[in-house]
Amino acid sequence: MGEVSAPRRAAFGTQADALFRKNLVYQKRNKSQNLFLLITPLVVVALFAYLESKLKEVSAAKSDQEVGATEIKEPVSWPPALYIPSNTSRAVGFNFMPFSDLPSPSCRISGDCPATFLLTGTNRSLVMGMAEQMFPPIENPNDLDGLVLATSFSIPQNYLSDPAFDPNSPLYYLQSKCKANSSIPFPSGQELKCLEGLQLWRNSSSAINKEIYTASDGNKHKEANKFAAAFDFLNTNRANFNVTVITRPSAADSLIASMRYTITRLPRLVNMASNAYLQVLQGPDTKMLFEFMKEVPTIIRIDARIPSHMDFFLRTATVAILLYPITVLASGIVYEKEKNLRIMMKMHGLNDIAYWAISYLYCLIVSLLFIQFYLIAGKFSGLSFFTKNDYSLQSVFFFFHVNWQISFVFLLASLVSTVKTAQVIGSAFMMLVTFLSVFVASRCIESADISSTLIVFVEVFPGFSLYRGVYEFQKYAAFARNGAGFGMGWKNLSDPGNGLTTAMTIILVEWVVMLLLASYFDQVISSGDGKKKSPLFFLQCLKRNQQNLQRNSSQLFPTNDSSDVAQERKKVEQLMREANQASTSHTAICDNIKKIYPGRDGNPPKAAVKGLSLALARSECFGMLGPNGAGKTSFISMMIGLTEPTSGTAYIEGLDITTQMDEVHTCMGVCPQFDLLWDTLTGREHLYFYGRLKNLSGSRLAQAVEDALKEVNLFHGGIADKHSGKYSGGMKRRLSVAISLIGDPKIVYLDEPSTGLDPASRNALWSVVKRAKQNRAILLTTHSMEEAEALCDRLGVFVDGALRCVGNPKELKARYGGYFIFTMTTTQGNDAEVEDMVLKLCRNANKTYHLGGTQKFDLPKHEVRLADIFQLVENAKSRFPVQAWALADTTLEDVFIKVTRQAQAASDE
Ligand SMILES: *[C@@H]1O[C@H](CO)[C@@H](O)[C@H](O)[C@H]1NC(C)=O
Ligand SMILES: *[C@@H]1O[C@H](CO)[C@@H](O)[C@H](O)[C@H]1NC(C)=O
Ligand SMILES: *[C@@H]1O[C@H](CO)[C@@H](O)[C@H](O)[C@H]1NC(C)=O
């Protein structure tokens, strides 16, 4: 009960969640850009699909252009396969058929229609004897020689592969009778299924011709009803072998197709007949085996049915589209850097690893969506680039590309600091790669004179490997369109001349290298998180020992503290001695904290903070005053963890800022000098985001956001749901303060919170701060004395790296103001008497003004007592008419100027 749990740092998951939701909302606001991102590929794909289909018709006849060439130095050898019609078109006994010995049409449903062969000849018994030998039974599953393999692929993809032997396509072996569901494994990895080969005798070849014609093309019902083949053995006898093979090159819709059919599928039919004849003659041990088929080594030049400039444009457009997300993603990341939002998030506890991991994941999801959208749109459009090539291979290639692209985006983001620059460089890169690949990369790849090693070097140029990949996919798509091959699949990666593997390797290597460079530049160049490291920061562990020596050996800056500063130092030392710091009543204790910037270019080291000791009580608002360049910013930077102190440390709620900064972030709030807000996020979304970073969730989060909005007066009138870009300066400032207060931080840093506000807004802001300071410590810097007096319980004047005085405003004025200003107006003639009286009261009184009967005197405070002054006035009134008199204390401004001058004078000596 009533126990306050220690502030817990938001887990990685919570941070990731917060960041992710914020990104989603941010992206949702970027509708037009995202829509453009998705629509562009759609439009291009649709346009090209249309062009491709149009041009296919127009240029079907003339094919004089070459799309590409590929060298086949060692053609693969393939077992010969027989062509059979597919199950649903194999010949069955429809009632219009002249013979009734065909299988029942129901086999089409059960999927086991036999492949039917028609036979004839002059000697029936001899022919049927040969038929028995045609489909040799399997004796040994390891010895498949002589087995009749069959496929429904009529157009073999010779040269590179035969689709019949693709692991995914059905391949059969023919038998006179099949055992149920019998199949054997085939070396290429696919399952070899048994299929019945039905052999039917007919009286004459004219009967066969008539039957074949009636079965398919000649029937009124347009039923597909195809025989596998027919043999007319003519006058074959024991001395004479004479055969006519009747066959159809099914799907022979092109010259090339029928030609390929002829050279690969037909010889098996002839071999089947001859082998059977030989076995009838010589007995089953004599075999005439047809082992494999293979083409001559060659260069294939593909005639383009679609003009190649079309492919060329598609390739260029594809590369440009694929590189387009760079601009979009980079501007998202650089925006947060340009607007210093990354510093802001860091100050509220977001760690770098979470930030980068989520940014990466986020970019990955956006890019993958984009790519998938592109691939699927391409697939539906029927564009051969997408339909002919293997989808999984394309997805993997583009996955590589997407990762490459993200690391490129990170590298770009680490090098530039404004969104404009990022966009310009991103677009310029996209165009450069597109044009260079047109004029350089494509010529190198296609040129026969350039060695493959040189091409690899060319491809190392960022973006060219993408071009190479697209080029390869397109080449295979063009082959496939022309009947040579079935597009690129996994097995084609090892094809001679296929550059995809090299391209993917280059992409992978560049991905790693660019990520490393990006993380290096992010630390060295980028001001993204406010820290810059030296270009050789990784050597620093060697230097560290040296630094420590220096740190301990000298008290670099002797302090001649004034009494109140010395007192504060003593208090801190006392607090530090108390063992359990968490139990003290002080939220923040700075223990002799120093910041020394190392000397550069021969300049001596610059001490920005020279040993500051300060203890902040709970519910205390401490105001830090000081001229510009006094070191306030350095001090605050150390306190909020942007820089590390050179020596000394500070404890926030007992947590050491040098070692436990991550925990400190959780109980700390910062309102920076400038409003660091996302223009397109609403006030409410900002608070939700930072609330989640502070480990709030569920109803607690909702309540905290609502309270915060009410507190800063942004709750009503729907202001909370307006984009922060539309807020007035005062509203932005109040939102920033609300952000710094969300999650109930124990200490809040407000850096000049009211700068640039009109008096009404300023008053509103002040009341927020006043309410907020009731249960937390606030450290506030300001240039407004009025603000300091209104808000702060204690003030410190910070000059030249050191605190010069500490105390509450009244004390300070009393101590440093040093004099009262006494004014008295009398009738003329009495002024000499007034001056006498004043000088009598205080010898060092200094007359600063005299006009008519009015005189002003500075009275050193330590020489006069207020009572004496009042006495003097009473005295004067009794002697002559006093028209008016006044006694004024010095203002805080006088104190500030005086302390600053003294300090500067001291340091000049
Ligand atoms: C037909 O062939 C068989 C078997 O080879 C043979 O015995 C027979 O004499 C042949 N008939 C004719 C008429 O040639
Ligand atoms: C086929 O031959 C058989 C007997 O040899 C005969 O009965 C039949 O009429 C013949 N059919 C045709 C169509 O010639
Ligand atoms: C093959 O048969 C045809 C038709 O009967 C015949 O004209 C031809 O001479 C035969 N060829 C041989 C080599 O027997």
Side-chain angles (χ1 to χ4, degrees):
M1 295 293 280
E3 202 170 294
V4 182
S5 63
R8 227 165 37 80
R9 177 176 170 67
F12 182 84
T14 320
Q15 295 196 347
D17 176 57
L19 206 53
F20 208 76
R21 286 167 188 244
K22 187 264 307 165
N23 279 354
L24 279 187
V25 175
Y26 178 74
Q27 211 59 39
K28 222 165 65 189
R29 298 285 145 73
N30 263 350
K31 265 186 215 129
S32 56
Q33 200 178 36
N34 288 330
L35 214 62
F36 189 67
L37 192 69
L38 291 181
I39 281 183
T40 322
L42 269 195
V43 170
V44 172
V45 160
L47 179 73
F48 277 94
Y50 174 75
L51 283 180
E52 193 176 89
S53 66
K54 275 285 162 218
L55 285 168
K56 216 178 222 163
E57 295 164 14
V58 173
S59 55
K62 57 168 192 179
S63 54
D64 50 352
Q65 258 167 320
E66 191 180 291
V67 166
T70 187
E71 284 181 15
I72 312 287
K73 286 180 182 154
E74 288 190 29
V76 192
S77 49
W78 298 102
L82 199 66
Y83 170 76
I84 52 166
S86 63
N87 181 64
T88 47
S89 58
R90 281 176 213 148
V92 288
F94 289 121
N95 42 21
F96 55 80
M97 295 300 290
F99 297 98
S100 56
D101 50 359
L102 287 166
S104 141
S106 67
C107 74
R108 291 197 173 175
I109 294 153
S110 50
D112 55 359
C113 290
T116 307
F117 295 82
L118 298 177
L119 305 166
T120 188
T122 46
N123 188 332
R124 182 174 178 168
S125 64
L126 179 67
V127 169
M128 291 323 279
M130 285 197 281
E132 272 169 34
Q133 304 300 323
M134 276 192 189
F135 309 126
I138 294 178
E139 282 147 11
N140 175 1
N142 295 323
D143 176 20
L144 304 177
D145 288 349
L147 213 58
V148 178
L149 302 178
T151 174
S152 296
F153 284 99
S154 61
I155 310 165
Q157 182 190 12
N158 52 49
Y159 301 127
L160 303 175
S161 69
D162 185 329
F165 300 95
D166 186 283
N168 301 316
S169 55
L171 186 63
Y172 306 100
Y173 65 98
L174 295 184
Q175 298 281 287
S176 313
K177 266 277 167 290
C178 281
K179 287 182 203 118
N181 292 330
S182 52
S183 68
I184 52 172
F186 191 68
S188 74
Q190 70 204 112
E191 208 183 31
L192 204 51
K193 281 189 200 143
C194 182
L195 184 70
E196 189 186 334
L198 182 65
Q199 294 152 311
L200 299 175
W201 171 259
R202 295 291 180 257
N203 274 3
S204 63
S205 71
S206 61
I208 289 179
N209 286 341
K210 196 173 162 232
E211 184 173 4
I212 290 178
Y213 180 71
T214 312
S216 185
D217 294 349
N219 79 66
K220 293 190 198 87
H221 313 274
K222 300 287 172 217
E223 291 279 2
N225 210 24
K226 295 173 186 169
F227 292 94
F231 295 99
D232 180 358
F233 284 97
L234 304 166
N235 52 350
T236 298
N237 54 35
R238 290 194 149 269
N240 175 41
F241 179 60
N242 201 350
V243 64
T244 302
V245 177
I246 302 160
T247 181
R248 80 155 74 220
S250 172
D253 51 3
S254 78
L255 191 66
I256 295 174
S258 65
M259 208 170 73
R260 301 242 174 278
Y261 172 86
T262 314
I263 60 172
T264 55
R265 300 279 188 251
L266 180 60
R268 190 69 181 100
L269 281 172
V270 180
N271 170 252
M272 254 167 70
S274 341
N275 189 42
Y277 179 67
L278 204 60
Q279 293 200 353
V280 166
L281 245 54
Q282 304 280 328
D285 290 339
T286 317
K287 283 177 183 166
M288 183 158 66
L289 292 182
F290 185 10
E291 291 269 24
F292 58 81
M293 301 194 54
K294 178 170 170 168
E295 291 203 18
V296 292
T298 182
I299 293 180
I300 310 183
R301 295 182 194 284
I302 296 300
D303 292 339
R305 295 219 225 146
I306 292 169
S308 64
H309 55 251
M310 162 89 184
D311 277 330
F312 187 73
F313 279 131
L314 176 63
R315 202 150 66 208
T316 313
T318 305
V319 169
I321 289 170
L322 288 175
L323 292 176
Y324 173 64
I326 287 184
T327 316
V328 178
L329 296 176
S331 25
I333 293 178
V334 176
Y335 180 82
E336 293 185 340
K337 186 166 138 185
E338 181 182 352
K339 297 237 158 179
N340 286 324
L341 290 161
R342 234 186 103 191
I343 305 182
M344 183 75 175
M345 292 190 275
K346 201 180 161 90
M347 288 185 301
H348 286 90
L350 182 68
N351 85 15
D352 271 348
I353 297 177
Y355 178 76
W356 284 120
I358 291 308
S359 300
Y360 196 97
L361 188 71
Y362 171 74
C363 288
L364 191 65
I365 289 175
V366 171
S367 319
L368 284 181
L369 279 179
F370 173 75
I371 290 287
Q372 284 307 320
F373 197 64
Y374 184 53
L375 286 182
I376 291 169
K379 202 132 195 129
F380 276 108
S381 71
L383 206 54
S384 58
F385 181 87
F386 301 99
T387 50
K388 300 289 184 193
N389 294 309
D390 184 67
Y391 174 74
S392 66
L393 182 62
Q394 263 181 343
S395 295
V396 167
F397 172 74
F398 287 128
F399 180 76
F400 274 47
H401 160 71
V402 157
N403 280 287
W404 173 91
Q405 181 163 282
I406 295 170
S407 70
F408 184 87
V409 164
F410 279 18
L411 182 59
L412 180 63
S414 73
L415 291 173
V416 304
S417 45
T418 65
V419 173
K420 279 252 154 56
T421 332
Q423 282 173 344
V424 168
I425 295 183
S427 321
F429 176 77
M430 182 177 100
M431 287 184 213
L432 183 79
V433 170
T434 313
F435 285 107
L436 280 186
S437 36
V438 169
F439 294 111
V440 181
S442 67
R443 298 206 177 164
C444 287
I445 296 167
E446 281 166 1
S447 164
D449 306 332
I450 295 179
S451 77
S452 51
T453 328
L454 188 64
I455 293 179
V456 171
F457 274 109
V458 170
E459 281 172 22
V460 169
F461 184 85
F464 278 14
S465 34
L466 168 69
Y467 180 82
R468 182 63 194 265
V470 170
Y471 177 89
E472 290 298 336
F473 278 118
Q474 210 179 28
K475 187 173 86 183
Y476 275 81
F479 286 169
R481 279 203 310 264
N482 290 283
F486 272 66
M488 176 137 39
W490 289 97
K491 57 183 181 288
N492 298 107
L493 285 182
S494 53
D495 287 350
N498 185 344
L500 191 67
T501 320
T502 319
M504 278 162 77
T505 314
I506 294 175
I507 288 177
L508 203 63
V509 170
E510 285 184 352
W511 172 70
V512 174
V513 170
M514 287 195 300
L515 267 192
L516 291 177
L517 283 180
S519 74
Y520 174 76
F521 286 129
D522 187 56
Q523 307 197 46
V524 175
I525 294 181
S526 156
S527 50
D529 63 355
K531 274 194 235 183
K532 278 189 210 176
K533 290 185 180 171
S534 98
L536 298 174
F537 67 88
F538 43 85
L539 299 178
Q540 250 170 14
C541 41
L542 302 173
K543 277 194 194 161
R544 185 148 290 171
N545 295 335
Q546 226 177 330
Q547 241 176 17
N548 280 344
L549 264 178
Q550 195 187 35
R551 197 185 279 183
N552 299 334
S553 63
S554 65
Q555 174 82 24
L556 258 175
F557 305 99
T559 43
N560 48 351
D561 294 341
S562 61
S563 62
D564 45 0
V565 177
Q567 208 175 338
E568 185 75 17
R569 190 175 289 277
K570 268 191 201 124
K571 185 165 116 194
V572 167
E573 277 161 14
Q574 166 104 39
L575 287 170
M576 292 300 294
R577 275 196 295 275
E578 284 170 24
N580 189 357
Q581 280 144 12
S583 72
T584 67
S585 56
H586 289 80
T587 300
I589 303 167
C590 305
D591 179 24
N592 202 17
I593 194 166
K594 286 182 187 168
K595 181 74 194 176
I596 300 161
Y597 292 106
R600 284 231 173 113
D601 310 324
N603 292 327
K606 183 185 183 316
V609 180
K610 304 172 179 176
L612 191 151
S613 290
L614 188 66
L616 287 193
R618 258 185 210 116
S619 67
E620 177 181 23
C621 176
F622 186 88
M624 207 163 214
L625 308 176
N628 294 323
K632 284 176 298 180
T633 313
S634 297
F635 171 63
I636 300 260
S637 296
M638 286 190 284
M639 293 302 284
I640 61 183
L642 290 182
T643 54
E644 278 175 19
T646 313
S647 75
T649 186
Y651 296 90
I652 309 291
E653 292 284 316
L655 299 163
D656 189 335
I657 63 161
T658 55
T659 54
Q660 294 164 295
M661 198 64 219
D662 287 344
E663 283 91 339
V664 172
H665 278 310
T666 317
C667 57
M668 176 184 109
V670 182
C671 169
Q673 202 163 339
F674 304 101
D675 300 305
L676 305 180
L677 305 169
W678 285 269
D679 280 350
T680 50
L681 257 51
T682 66
R684 191 188 299 277
E685 284 156 358
H686 274 94
L687 290 169
Y688 266 99
F689 171 61
Y690 285 110
R692 286 197 185 100
L693 278 190
K694 286 275 169 63
N695 218 1
L696 292 177
S697 60
S699 59
R700 275 178 60 217
L701 177 64
Q703 189 60 45
V705 169
E706 192 156 310
D707 290 350
L709 286 171
K710 279 181 182 153
E711 187 116 279
V712 298
N713 216 358
L714 290 175
F715 187 72
H716 298 287
I719 306 169
D721 297 311
K722 269 196 204 155
H723 293 187
S724 76
K726 294 185 185 139
Y727 284 10
S728 67
M731 282 149 79
K732 281 185 182 171
R733 218 67 201 116
R734 276 182 284 159
L735 177 59
S736 291
V737 171
I739 288 172
S740 71
L741 294 176
I742 198 157
D744 196 19
K746 295 288 172 260
I747 182 159
V748 174
Y749 301 91
L750 303 175
D751 199 358
E752 303 187 15
S754 67
T755 313
L757 293 192
D758 64 89
S761 310
R762 199 177 54 180
N763 275 330
L765 188 81
W766 284 356
S767 48
V768 172
V769 176
K770 274 181 196 156
R771 274 199 300 275
K773 79 177 180 186
Q774 273 157 17
N775 43 15
R776 59 180 61 90
I778 293 181
L779 201 128
L780 176 137
T781 71
T782 182
H783 285 305
S784 152
M785 299 302 143
E786 205 186 339
E787 180 167 278
E789 252 184 308
L791 295 178
C792 300
D793 303 306
R794 280 200 306 159
L795 289 173
V797 178
F798 197 72
V799 184
D800 205 14
L803 266 185
R804 300 298 165 170
C805 61
V806 179
N808 75 39
K810 285 201 189 86
E811 276 169 19
L812 284 185
K813 277 190 287 191
R815 206 173 307 145
Y816 292 90
Y819 45 87
F820 298 115
I821 297 157
F822 178 65
T823 314
M824 185 167 264
T825 306
T826 58
T827 48
Q828 251 173 10
N830 292 323
D831 31 352
E833 203 172 342
V834 171
E835 189 173 350
D836 268 358
M837 288 171 79
V838 171
L839 283 176
K840 208 178 285 170
L841 180 71
C842 164
R843 267 189 310 124
N844 292 325
N846 182 18
K847 187 159 78 171
T848 54
Y849 181 87
H850 189 180
L851 187 71
T854 305
Q855 298 179 88
K856 264 189 188 179
F857 301 91
D858 285 355
L859 307 177
K861 271 186 190 165
H862 54 272
E863 288 178 22
V864 295
R865 292 186 306 151
L866 277 178
D868 293 341
I869 298 175
F870 286 106
Q871 189 66 51
L872 180 146
V873 174
E874 290 305 314
N875 239 336
K877 276 186 184 167
S878 65
R879 293 215 235 147
F880 46 82
V882 174
Q883 286 168 352
W885 70 281
L887 182 68
D889 201 349
T890 40
T891 61
L892 203 52
E893 201 161 324
D894 300 324
V895 174
F896 176 75
I897 292 167
K898 196 167 172 192
V899 170
T900 311
R901 277 213 191 112
Q902 273 177 6
Q904 278 162 349
S907 68
D908 287 345
E909 274 165 17

